[in-house]
């Protein structure tokens, strides 16, 4: 119940706050790979795993099914990675991070010609 979707269903994202991790007695290693799982959901083209590292420090893992390049979005925020698997650490709250990134990712999807 922690997976959210864009209106068109092509973006899926999940947020893990420090409180969430503490309540579950989980570590960052425990949620590693979750972005891969979300990417496998039917209709999803790009997944984002948003993890609060500190109150104003957020890690984002971007994953794409292979038609939407996502590393250029990560680079806009001093991140990087491969065309279809990238990441970034943003100096902002997880809420502001989503507010900032979701329109950028939607714009990428909207400008992509799908096979």
């Amino acid at each position: 119940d922690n997976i959210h979707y864009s209106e068109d269903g092509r973006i899926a994202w999940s947020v893990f706050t420090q409180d969430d991790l503490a309540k579950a007695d989980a570590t960052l290693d425990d949620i590693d790979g979750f972005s891969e799982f979300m990417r496998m959901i039917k209709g999803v083209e790009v997944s984002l795993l948003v993890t609060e590292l500190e109150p104003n420090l957020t890690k984002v893992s971007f994953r794409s099914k292979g038609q939407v390049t996502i590393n250029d979005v990560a680079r806009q925020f001093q991140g990087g990675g491969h065309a279809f698997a990238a990441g970034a650490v943003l100096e902002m709250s997880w809420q502001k991070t989503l507010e900032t990134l979701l329109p950028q990712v939607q714009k990428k999807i909207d400008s992509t010609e799908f096979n």
Side-chain angles (χ1 to χ4, degrees):
D1 65 345
N2 190 20
I3 300 175
H4 307 275
Y5 301 92
S6 60
E7 266 187 48
D8 63 5
R10 290 183 167 189
I11 305 170
W13 69 91
S14 190
V15 176
F16 287 94
T17 65
Q18 284 297 301
D19 191 46
D20 294 332
L21 294 173
K23 283 180 185 175
D25 194 28
T27 67
L28 295 178
D29 288 338
D30 293 325
I31 60 172
D32 189 41
F34 195 68
S35 58
E36 299 287 337
F37 164 75
M38 289 187 293
R39 177 178 70 169
M40 294 177 356
I41 297 170
K42 184 177 181 176
V44 171
E45 292 296 332
V46 175
S47 66
L48 305 171
L49 178 59
V50 178
T51 308
E52 178 187 52
L53 300 175
E54 295 175 11
N56 284 304
L57 191 66
T58 305
K59 176 184 174 185
V60 181
S61 295
F62 302 85
R63 297 294 181 270
S64 169
K65 278 194 174 159
Q67 294 193 66
V68 180
T69 57
I70 205 68
N71 61 342
D72 54 346
V73 176
R75 277 195 307 270
Q76 290 176 28
F77 301 95
Q78 288 69 51
H82 301 284
F84 308 117
V89 175
L90 289 78
E91 291 185 14
M92 59 181 72
S93 70
W94 66 265
Q95 298 97 327
K96 183 69 175 169
T97 296
L98 279 175
E99 197 177 292
T100 303
L101 290 180
L102 287 174
Q104 296 293 324
V105 174
Q106 188 66 55
K107 187 190 299 186
K108 285 289 297 188
I109 288 172
D110 292 344
S111 68
T112 300
E113 291 189 32
F114 291 91
N115 297 329

